[in-house]
Amino acid sequence: MDGTDSDQLRQHRRWMVAWVAGFLPPRLRRLAVVLALSLLATAAGLVQPMLTKALIDQALPDRRMDLVILLCGGLFAMSVFSLLLGYGTRLLYVRVSGDLLFSLRESLFRHLMSLSPRWFARAREGDLFSRLDGDITEVQRFTLDGALAAINATFALIGAVIAMISLSVPLTLMCLAVLPLQMALVARFRPRIEQQTRQVRQRAADLGAFFFDTLPAAKVIQAHSAQERESDRLHRLNGLYLDELLRQERLGFFAGAGPSLIMSAATALIFVFGAASVLGQSLTIGAMVAFTSYLGRAAAPLQSYLGLWVASRRALVSLDRLAELRLVPPEVCSPASPQPLPDPLRGAVSLRQVMLGHDRQRPLLRDLSLEIAAGSKVALIGPSGCGKSTLCDLLLRLYDPDQGEVCLDGVPLPRLDLLALRQVVAVVAQDVVLLPGSLADNIAYGVAHPTREAIEQAAETAGLAEVIAALPHGLDSPVGSHGRLLSGGQRQRVALARAVLQRPRVLILDEVTTGLDPALRDAVLATLDRQFADCTRIIVSHDPQVMAGCDQVVDLEHCAKSGNRFSQQQCGNVRYEISGRHS
């Protein structure tokens, strides 16, 4: 990685840290309570060795049974107190931790929903799920667990060291002498653990992508007798994932084993010198027992630091993977001061020298100019890949053109609020997407707080009355994953009911009759003409029956080839209008 890439990576990490930190202020009060309870429980644990020392050095030699009972009762009370504190701390922590996790995930999801279909076409669904689930959890866990554990460990370590110094300064210095060697070993493993964590995350994402790709395609896999082929591919992916996990475990083991071994050797030496001090009567048995207890309490924070260091490497990798999503800028967004929609809104559409394409050398749309009158019915024709559906996406402002502008009633779309625009422009597509929920939920999708009567009326208008009557729970019947409990024609009618309920001023019909039998096609067309007679309708279709009643038929293939002027052709009672110019 060169200097420029390193600087950019550091800048991205700083931005992401600031993004995560922005979610903490509303939760600081509850986090402070969690921290206070945790520190109180740690303090209670630090008192217990001193009670043990008093029991051994005072109560037993003096044969004071009353003091023995008092000290033992104190030890038991401290244990119960610590247990109750731990229970309360855990409940409060889970609430705060879950709240932070869900807020991070919701924020990232909202950002993803602002990205264009072009970006999603390049992304892998399984990888996205891995980042929204595993990576964001890793970052959230380290943000809270890391901070609380570090503060708690520091408090416990300082308390233990102070108690150890009060008991024996030489033994304490021996313990502290091994810290530099432990830190050197940890630093040696740092880059390798970070790199290996990245590899494990990638293999997990590969597995997620496999399931997201194959499970929805189960019917195709079965039809092609490809079950064994896909099972073999899964076996290979599992093997690669297991290899990376084993490498990660080996690295984690050696990164922790070295410092632990050093601490064990130091502990053994401390016992030797401590025993010599007891025999030389410079240290009491109770003090020796208390010192070894505090040594264990001091070792635990040191192990926590090592664990936090490893966790920080994992969290950093996850933070980088989240940055690859969060730092993607949306292609379109609402203006800071949007212009209101014209009132009344007529629905006239204008395209002025529009150019758009994934490849600027070979754009799908090139210098396209088109005027669609308000309330007219226009057909877009042309071969696959000529930009028909892309033109529809422009009207919804899922993209902005690379050049030129698209206007609604003379107002350029980028000047309008996105939500307001998409309330008055609706799409009924060939591939209807239904979401989990009931039939009523899917009909009302995209309309804020519709009444039950309005939903029922839209369903009846779209010809769903017989379908609803046949369903066990009527409108409240679930549609299944991706609407698989409904037929293709029924899903098409649900999409039509959505449009009826939305009552747009511009309606886009993208191959809406493809795959429908003639009777159903005629019924759908009749419903469209009846319900949206005063609405601007833009129809993408190859079906002559659909084009027969159109005011205009626009051939997008010829748009790129025609001269720089309007040309009109007659075809029966349908007028073709073409506008464009040579590249």
Side-chain angles (χ1 to χ4, degrees):
M1 182 181 292
D2 59 30
T4 302
D5 291 339
S6 297
D7 291 342
Q8 187 178 39
L9 178 61
R10 284 192 291 269
Q11 183 179 359
H12 287 174
R13 284 177 175 175
R14 284 195 296 268
W15 196 96
M16 289 299 293
V17 168
W19 175 68
V20 175
F23 290 88
L24 294 178
R27 301 165 178 85
L28 285 179
R29 182 176 298 178
R30 286 178 292 170
L31 287 174
V33 174
V34 171
L35 180 60
L37 292 176
S38 179
L39 292 178
L40 192 58
T42 301
L46 290 173
V47 172
Q48 292 176 346
M50 286 301 182
L51 296 178
T52 304
K53 178 181 181 299
L55 180 66
I56 296 173
D57 289 345
Q58 297 177 29
L60 294 179
D62 295 345
R63 299 179 181 274
R64 292 185 54 187
M65 196 61 193
D66 59 330
L67 186 56
V68 170
I69 294 173
L70 179 64
L71 292 172
C72 290
L75 288 170
F76 178 73
M78 283 295 177
S79 298
V80 173
F81 182 61
S82 297
L83 185 64
L84 293 176
L85 279 177
Y87 175 73
T89 303
R90 191 174 188 86
L91 287 182
L92 183 57
Y93 170 77
V94 169
R95 181 177 293 277
V96 178
S97 176
D99 184 35
L100 176 62
L101 172 63
F102 302 149
S103 296
L104 287 170
R105 186 173 289 150
E106 289 164 10
S107 175
L108 186 58
F109 178 79
R110 282 193 295 269
H111 174 71
L112 291 177
M113 290 298 99
S114 72
L115 302 182
S116 72
R118 181 159 41 195
W119 184 87
F120 280 99
R122 295 190 298 265
R124 295 191 306 166
E125 291 179 342
D127 182 63
L128 290 179
F129 180 79
S130 174
R131 298 182 194 222
L132 281 168
D133 183 29
D135 287 310
I136 210 163
T137 301
E138 193 72 51
V139 169
Q140 170 269 334
R141 184 184 296 125
F142 181 75
T143 300
L144 289 189
D145 288 12
L148 293 175
I151 296 173
N152 199 52
T154 301
F155 179 78
L157 181 60
I158 292 174
V161 169
I162 290 174
M164 290 163 64
I165 291 174
S166 69
L167 295 170
S168 173
V169 173
L171 293 180
T172 303
L173 293 177
M174 289 181 60
C175 294
L176 297 178
V178 302
L179 287 179
L181 185 56
Q182 289 179 310
M183 298 304 295
L185 282 176
V186 168
R188 181 178 179 84
F189 281 95
R190 171 181 172 177
R192 297 176 64 187
I193 288 179
E194 185 174 334
Q195 176 64 26
Q196 190 56 37
T197 300
R198 193 178 301 275
Q199 292 295 327
V200 170
R201 287 275 185 271
Q202 186 58 50
R203 293 304 180 190
D206 291 342
L207 275 173
F210 171 84
F211 290 120
F212 269 85
D213 292 341
T214 54
L215 291 178
K219 184 177 180 180
V220 175
I221 293 171
Q222 294 167 357
H224 290 81
S225 301
Q227 294 95 321
E228 288 301 320
R229 185 192 314 162
E230 296 301 332
S231 295
D232 290 342
R233 191 156 69 94
L234 175 59
H235 181 73
R236 289 194 297 273
L237 290 173
N238 280 332
L240 293 172
Y241 185 39
L242 180 60
D243 290 342
E244 299 297 348
L245 277 177
L246 290 174
R247 291 191 187 97
Q248 185 183 50
E249 286 300 314
R250 285 194 292 268
L251 277 175
F253 172 78
F254 288 115
S260 296
L261 190 61
I262 292 173
M263 179 57 72
S264 297
T267 301
L269 288 175
I270 287 167
F271 270 107
V272 172
F273 283 96
S277 299
V278 171
L279 294 175
Q281 296 185 347
S282 61
L283 192 70
T284 66
I285 295 176
M288 179 62 186
V289 171
F291 187 91
T292 55
S293 180
Y294 282 120
L295 178 61
R297 282 168 166 75
L302 292 176
Q303 290 297 322
S304 295
Y305 288 142
L306 294 176
L308 285 172
W309 179 85
V310 174
S312 72
R313 298 301 96 194
R314 293 198 304 263
L316 200 58
V317 170
S318 293
L319 196 68
D320 292 341
R321 283 167 53 82
L322 292 178
E324 293 172 2
L325 303 183
R326 187 63 185 83
L327 297 179
V328 176
E331 290 189 30
V332 299
C333 57
S334 291
S337 300
Q339 180 175 333
L341 288 169
D343 186 18
L345 183 65
R346 297 166 50 247
V349 175
S350 304
L351 288 87
R352 300 167 183 171
Q353 296 181 326
V354 167
M355 184 172 78
L356 176 69
H358 302 297
D359 183 355
R360 288 181 177 268
Q361 301 301 320
R362 301 178 59 188
L364 289 172
L365 301 174
R366 179 166 45 193
D367 287 347
L368 175 64
S369 295
L370 178 65
E371 297 289 336
I372 299 176
S376 63
K377 182 178 178 182
V378 177
L380 302 181
I381 64 172
S384 298
C386 72
K388 301 186 299 297
S389 296
T390 301
L391 177 56
C392 297
D393 291 340
L394 284 175
L395 298 180
L396 274 172
R397 207 178 166 225
L398 297 175
Y399 313 103
D400 280 334
D402 298 325
Q403 293 180 15
E405 63 181 5
V406 182
C407 301
L408 180 63
D409 278 5
V411 181
L413 298 190
R415 297 184 188 175
L416 300 173
D417 179 75
L418 269 179
L419 295 179
L421 171 66
R422 291 169 183 173
Q423 283 296 313
V424 298
V425 179
V427 177
V428 179
Q430 174 187 359
D431 298 322
V432 179
V433 176
L434 300 185
L435 298 172
S438 68
L439 185 59
D441 294 335
N442 276 276
I443 292 174
Y445 198 76
V447 178
H449 311 300
T451 64
R452 182 75 172 191
E453 291 75 17
I455 296 173
E456 291 173 349
Q457 182 60 44
E460 184 177 354
T461 301
L464 283 169
E466 293 183 4
V467 176
I468 294 170
L471 292 174
H473 302 290
L475 274 172
D476 297 317
S477 299
V479 299
S481 177
H482 301 287
R484 290 193 178 98
L485 295 180
L486 302 179
S487 68
Q490 290 169 343
R491 291 195 296 270
Q492 195 71 259
R493 288 183 174 274
V494 172
L496 182 57
R498 280 179 183 170
V500 171
L501 188 62
Q502 185 175 341
R503 302 199 63 79
R505 295 305 305 151
V506 177
L507 178 63
I508 302 168
L509 306 166
D510 191 356
E511 301 285 3
V512 70
T513 60
T514 301
L516 302 182
D517 60 72
L520 184 56
R521 178 201 62 196
D522 294 342
V524 169
L525 292 176
T527 301
L528 292 171
D529 288 336
R530 183 175 62 255
Q531 291 296 318
F532 301 99
D534 60 343
C535 175
T536 303
R537 285 157 288 165
I538 301 173
I539 304 173
V540 176
S541 180
H542 295 90
D543 189 345
Q545 189 69 26
V546 176
M547 292 184 288
C550 291
D551 302 307
Q552 290 175 272
V553 177
V554 179
D555 189 336
L556 289 182
E557 182 183 21
H558 291 129
C559 283
K561 301 176 181 177
S562 64
N564 185 19
R565 65 183 190 278
F566 259 112
S567 63
Q568 298 183 2
Q569 300 175 334
Q570 295 293 328
C571 182
N573 64 344
V574 179
R575 184 180 66 180
Y576 286 74
E577 294 191 355
I578 306 167
S579 175
R581 66 167 176 250
H582 290 296
S583 60

